[in-house]
Amino acid sequence: MKWIYSVSLAVTLAMQPALAEIAHPLTEQARDAYVSELLQKMTLDEKIGQLRLISVGPGTPKEAIREMIKQGQVGAIFNTVTRQDIRAMQDQVMQLSRLKIPLFFAYDVVHGQRTVFPIPLGMAASWDLDAVAEVGRVSAYEAADDGLNMTWAPMVDVSREPRWGRVSEGFGEDTYLTSEMGRTMVEAMQGKSPADRYAVMTSVKHFALYGAVEGGRDYNTVDMSPQRMFQDYLPPYKASLDAGSGGVMVSLNAINGVPATADSWLLKDLLRDEWKFKGITISDHGAIKELIKHGVASDPQEAVRIALKSGIDMSMSDEYYSKYLPDLVKSGAVSKAEIDDAARHVLNVKYDMGLFNDPYSHLGAKETDPADTNAESRLHRAEARDVARKSMVLLKNEQDTLPLKKAGTIALVGPLADSQRDIMGSWSAAGLARQSVTLLQGMKNATAGNATVIYAKGANISDNKSIQDFLNLYEQAVSVDSRTPQQMIDEAVAAAQKADVVVAAVGEAQGMAHEASSRSELTIPASQQKLLAALKATGKPLVIVLMNGRPLTLATEDAQASALLETWFSGTEGGNAIADVLFGDYNPSGKLPVSFPRSVGQIPIYYNHLPTGRPYNPAKPNKYTSHYYDALNGPLYPFGYGLSYTTFTVSPVTLSSKTLARNGKLDASVTVTNSGKRDGATVVQLYLNDPVASMSRPVQELKSFKRIMLKAGESQTVSFPIDGNALKFWNAKMQYVMEPGKINVMIGLDSVHTQDTSFDAL
Ligand code: BGC
């Protein structure tokens, strides 16, 4: 990936004039002066026009957009993804509008633009910040190369709610891991400056707490204590903003009864006053209108007044601001200064994007447009394959079933084994399904004729008609085989009987783990369960390859499988990457960024829970303790868990000091040894626990991690510096404090099997 840096740097240097020659230097001072002067030239309507963000689509035909642009009624556009289309609109601004204020162009570039990388939950499973930075750089490169200036990413909504379909878009259940991922994405996508030729501005979302929607039902409400909010859910947004994200997208949920879109505490007191955010706030799709249904506004005028006064700068996909703000200003319900503030934020980010220096900065000359937008040469396949294989998590591997030999006969079955669309996952941006590699293709590539791969679909994604209809609501997303379920199973069983080993690719269709795709069950659909049972009955070794966008309940599959590999939705190069892991060309190193429950009834289940007065002890079960009497305690697979084809041992922890002074620092170290026969990577995880404090503190919390690569037989000492910041928490009075006392240290290769010691914080 280094070449991207060098290419981008070279091109940037070649294309962009030195700072002194730039008409509008990219400094805050120059920006403020420029924008103030511009605001003075603008009419009220033009200012309000800047607050409107529209999506190009059936509701807004190109002719209507042209007229809006001419009248200065639109500030930015999203969902347009080719240089030709973008240039045409920017041309209209420059040729037809009075003040020629450039538009900016945005899109949901969440895990890739044309090359699709693993879904963010998969990226998180790599625990590899270099890999995630690679995703960020390539995505920004491809997005900027398509003329885009902004992305609606990263999504850093911490979630302990696997029923919520959008778990797939985030980085899991942990605050620290999500913060690191969000920060890394922002830094990589914005580069040195979002004005650079191959950088885009990020818009961190969804502010705030969207991942905690009640019951996992999308768009639902969130009710949360201030301690949990500040300790667990807000830090990833803060980390992404501290990394310089220019935008914030506001969430659709209410927080403690107040919709985020109407929450001036959230958007002004916290975001602007405390966190000093200077960029732009954008409502989510139609959110201003929705204030009426939320029950906090009686009519459109009121919704607009509340949203603007609460701190929403730009309105996404509704015409309410344009329609109602002029009269609200006339009547005095909204002041001109408030409009100026919002418009200033929009103009500021346009300035930061370099658009006032060159409205075509991400477009270049027309002659340089790619002849074929979808050309193979525009993809970054090697990078996608590299990240995808790092994202995979080996959940089980009985008697070294994996890696497979590139010999003999392999039966590959399952509705996801040859689906180009599903493997890309949700929000696959401008990625084309036809350019993705399925597992079938990947296995053929890997075996190159040395093994026979027999393929049978075996089952439809689901036999449930209403689920099929749900998935195919807007387009033909899943193809339903017209054979009976039994006919399909029979074909798969016949294939299995001819084979030495069976690989079953099962899980969810892309549309099952998406926005508005909440589930009340987390099982693999029944059609696929029946297929697995029939395959198991053949007595052949069964390798289950999971494709899904959320933790599933897998107790049955865990019992059936000889080996189980979690591959998430792995993107354009998914099939090759999975084959790399299955055949041992890559030794799996991923770790779960989220706990996998045994059943839906266990939710919420997360590793960093608070202690209770009656903890359950499996070694000494006691009725009057906190647990379910009808289920095993704890998750099926814990947070941080993942196997390898080699084995690792972790030494006892050594501390550089048994005490931590108030402003001091100590190091906690372990030696990790690759005790197996293969080279491999693993992730060393540091957890801390404050066993006695002024309020109950989580039984363990991730505070640091390091991904290391060890050759067979090799050892490495890994040290984690610990200082007071790692121990601070929000106390009952909402003060952010470090309290003296004993601190437990746990270091391991997952959250359960750890080497433990303790020190005293003074
Ligand atoms: C989603 C956002 C997304 C926006 C624009 C909304 O429905 O909630 O995450 O960025 O659409 O596509």
Side-chain angles (χ1 to χ4, degrees):
M1 257 317 301
K2 295 217 168 45
W3 67 268
I4 285 242
Y5 258 158
S6 45
V7 168
S8 95
L9 205 62
V11 175
T12 307
L13 293 176
M15 291 186 53
Q16 293 191 346
L19 208 58
E21 301 165 33
I22 287 181
H24 308 298
L26 299 172
T27 64
E28 211 171 302
Q29 211 185 6
R31 178 187 77 189
D32 292 349
Y34 180 83
V35 169
S36 297
E37 206 184 310
L38 181 56
L39 279 168
Q40 279 174 14
K41 293 186 201 146
M42 293 168 76
T43 64
L44 178 68
D45 285 349
E46 282 166 337
K47 291 174 188 170
I48 293 172
Q50 287 301 308
L51 311 185
R52 183 156 190 203
L53 166 67
I54 55 170
S55 165
V56 175
T60 39
K62 284 188 180 161
E63 271 319 298
I65 291 176
R66 182 187 155 90
E67 200 42 41
M68 280 190 248
I69 288 175
K70 190 172 160 190
Q71 304 299 332
Q73 291 169 347
V74 45
I77 296 203
F78 73 114
N79 285 346
T80 293
V81 288
T82 64
R83 272 199 243 170
Q84 288 85 343
D85 286 349
I86 290 176
R87 179 179 293 100
M89 288 186 209
Q90 202 70 298
D91 278 349
Q92 288 169 4
V93 174
M94 301 319 285
Q95 289 157 17
L96 306 176
S97 72
R98 190 178 80 89
L99 287 173
K100 308 190 191 327
I101 299 172
L103 295 162
F104 74 76
F105 296 85
Y107 197 37
D108 287 279
V109 184
V110 178
H111 56 115
Q113 164 69 353
R114 297 202 173 268
T115 312
V116 178
F117 287 85
I119 54 169
L121 194 60
M123 283 158 53
S126 74
W127 296 56
D128 185 335
L129 299 178
D130 293 336
V132 172
E134 188 162 83
V135 178
R137 283 192 299 267
V138 173
S139 306
Y141 179 94
E142 291 185 358
D145 201 38
D146 276 342
L148 296 167
N149 311 100
M150 190 181 246
T151 169
W152 310 138
M155 182 185 114
V156 295
D157 304 323
V158 166
S159 190
R160 300 163 172 176
E161 237 325 331
R163 289 172 290 187
W164 189 48
R166 306 198 77 170
V167 156
S168 54
E169 294 171 52
F171 301 111
E173 76 186 30
D174 184 65
T175 310
Y176 178 76
L177 185 61
T178 303
S179 300
E180 286 294 281
M181 295 281 152
R183 175 185 65 74
T184 303
M185 281 296 274
V186 170
E187 285 170 357
M189 295 185 104
Q190 295 197 153
K192 283 205 305 303
S193 152
D196 285 352
R197 172 66 187 96
Y198 292 114
V200 290
M201 187 178 277
T202 56
S203 196
V204 60
K205 67 187 187 185
H206 304 83
F207 193 62
L209 322 185
Y210 189 23
V213 283
E214 212 164 81
R217 287 183 294 279
D218 211 355
Y219 318 122
N220 217 279
T221 205
V222 173
D223 201 300
M224 196 182 275
S225 73
Q227 282 78 10
R228 177 170 282 186
M229 198 187 279
F230 277 82
Q231 193 68 36
D232 299 343
Y233 283 81
L234 288 176
Y237 306 106
K238 176 78 163 56
S240 304
L241 295 175
D242 288 347
S245 181
V248 166
M249 188 187 291
V250 178
S251 61
L252 294 163
N253 55 285
I255 300 170
N256 299 339
V258 183
T261 307
D263 193 340
S264 63
W265 169 77
L266 183 73
L267 303 180
K268 289 195 160 164
D269 301 359
L270 181 68
L271 184 66
R272 300 264 179 214
D273 297 346
E274 260 182 63
W275 290 4
K276 310 283 177 228
F277 176 63
K278 299 248 172 67
I280 186 183
T281 56
I282 299 157
S283 65
D284 201 348
H285 212 280
I288 298 174
K289 272 188 176 168
E290 289 174 16
L291 292 181
I292 299 172
K293 290 198 178 139
H294 267 293
V296 297
S298 55
D299 56 35
Q301 284 89 339
E302 201 176 5
V304 168
R305 181 177 58 76
I306 292 174
L308 190 92
K309 282 182 175 288
S310 301
I312 298 283
D313 297 328
M314 206 167 204
S315 115
M316 181 194 286
S317 275
D318 62 37
E319 68 290 0
Y320 271 25
Y321 266 14
S322 325
K323 225 170 163 175
Y324 300 107
L325 276 176
D327 283 348
L328 285 167
V329 174
K330 262 181 224 134
S331 72
V334 165
S335 70
K336 284 187 178 150
E338 285 168 319
I339 302 284
D340 277 10
D341 267 357
R344 177 183 289 281
H345 293 146
V346 178
L347 297 171
N348 279 352
V349 298
K350 291 187 175 181
Y351 192 100
D352 292 345
M353 290 167 178
L355 288 167
F356 291 114
N357 280 321
D358 179 6
Y360 299 90
S361 65
H362 281 187
L363 296 163
K366 210 175 188 156
E367 306 74 64
T368 63
D369 283 355
D372 174 8
T373 306
N374 300 313
E376 194 44 51
S377 58
R378 303 189 75 214
L379 300 185
H380 294 86
R381 288 189 179 275
E383 291 81 357
R385 183 168 176 167
D386 175 55
V387 179
R389 48 195 213 169
K390 288 178 174 159
S391 74
M392 289 168 196
V393 185
L394 184 63
L395 299 174
K396 180 178 180 185
N397 193 18
E398 213 172 60
Q399 288 160 2
D400 293 339
T401 306
L402 292 178
L404 301 175
K405 291 188 194 65
K406 292 180 185 171
T409 303
I410 303 167
L412 173 63
V413 297
L416 292 162
D418 197 27
S419 168
Q420 286 189 303
R421 182 190 175 107
D422 293 307
I423 204 163
M424 316 228 321
S426 69
W427 299 107
S428 45
L432 292 184
R434 67 175 157 80
Q435 288 179 320
S436 76
V437 179
T438 67
L439 179 54
L440 175 59
Q441 189 56 50
M443 286 178 71
K444 285 186 178 160
N445 295 343
T447 50
N450 293 320
T452 308
V453 181
I454 322 174
Y455 164 72
K457 184 170 174 183
N460 284 312
I461 275 288
S462 168
D463 288 335
N464 182 324
K465 176 80 170 58
S466 70
I467 292 180
Q468 291 171 356
D469 290 346
F470 167 78
L471 294 171
N472 288 332
L473 194 58
Y474 296 110
E475 55 189 314
Q476 192 60 39
V478 294
S479 62
V480 179
D481 202 291
S482 59
R483 288 174 293 171
T484 65
Q486 197 54 50
Q487 284 171 330
M488 293 174 79
I489 288 179
D490 289 347
E491 184 193 27
V493 166
Q497 271 153 355
K498 283 185 225 143
D500 305 308
V501 58
V502 182
V503 176
V506 294
E508 300 184 293
Q510 177 195 49
M512 290 171 76
H514 192 37
E515 181 179 344
S517 299
S518 302
R519 293 183 65 188
S520 68
E521 303 274 0
L522 296 175
T523 46
I524 287 174
S527 58
Q528 302 180 57
Q529 285 186 332
K530 284 184 201 138
L531 170 66
L532 290 175
L535 295 171
K536 176 70 184 165
T538 64
K540 301 284 172 150
L542 177 61
V543 177
I544 298 183
V545 171
L546 295 160
M547 298 189 193
N548 50 293
R550 52 154 65 80
L552 297 174
T553 53
L554 297 166
T556 309
E557 293 71 22
D558 181 75
Q560 287 168 329
S562 310
L564 204 55
L565 181 69
E566 175 58 78
T567 71
W568 317 106
F569 293 117
S570 47
T572 306
E573 277 290 307
N576 283 331
I578 301 170
D580 286 340
V581 173
L582 290 179
F583 292 107
D585 295 320
Y586 182 81
N587 186 354
S589 56
K591 302 280 184 178
L592 294 180
V594 65
S595 310
F596 274 42
R598 293 171 193 278
S599 65
V600 170
Q602 286 187 313
I603 298 168
I605 186 163
Y606 49 94
Y607 84 95
N608 49 349
H609 58 85
L610 294 177
T612 67
R614 298 188 179 191
Y616 177 77
N617 178 357
K620 259 201 211 159
N622 178 342
K623 177 169 178 180
Y624 294 100
T625 55
S626 184
H627 70 295
Y628 298 102
Y629 75 79
D630 62 351
L632 288 173
N633 222 38
L636 180 64
Y637 305 118
F639 178 79
Y641 169 81
L643 303 170
S644 163
Y645 295 152
T646 187
T647 49
F648 297 98
T649 58
V650 181
S651 73
V653 184
T654 55
L655 295 176
S656 59
S657 163
K658 283 296 273 179
T659 54
L660 178 68
R662 261 213 107 54
N663 295 314
K665 176 181 125 354
L666 61 78
D667 288 319
S669 312
V670 290
T671 300
V672 183
T673 303
N674 180 344
S675 48
K677 294 200 180 65
R678 281 172 181 265
D679 301 351
T682 190
V683 181
V684 193
Q685 305 160 31
L686 167 78
Y687 298 89
L688 297 182
N689 157 250
D690 185 347
V692 184
S694 59
M695 52 192 301
S696 292
R697 301 284 301 122
V699 295
Q700 57 182 157
E701 282 178 300
L702 182 73
K703 291 294 174 182
S704 193
F705 59 87
K706 254 182 209 154
R707 192 175 182 281
I708 54 168
M709 175 75 205
L710 291 177
K711 292 206 170 4
E714 195 187 352
S715 295
Q716 188 179 321
T717 298
V718 177
S719 291
F720 295 103
I722 300 173
D723 64 20
N725 286 326
L727 310 181
K728 283 190 175 166
F729 65 95
W730 296 90
N731 69 11
K733 292 183 182 153
M734 283 305 288
Q735 297 152 330
Y736 194 52
V737 294
M738 168 190 166
E739 294 180 358
K742 180 179 165 187
I743 299 293
N744 292 321
V745 178
M746 293 154 255
I747 303 182
L749 306 180
D750 62 50
S751 60
V752 174
H753 306 98
T754 54
Q755 295 285 350
D756 303 348
T757 186
S758 64
F759 63 84
D760 284 317
L762 304 177

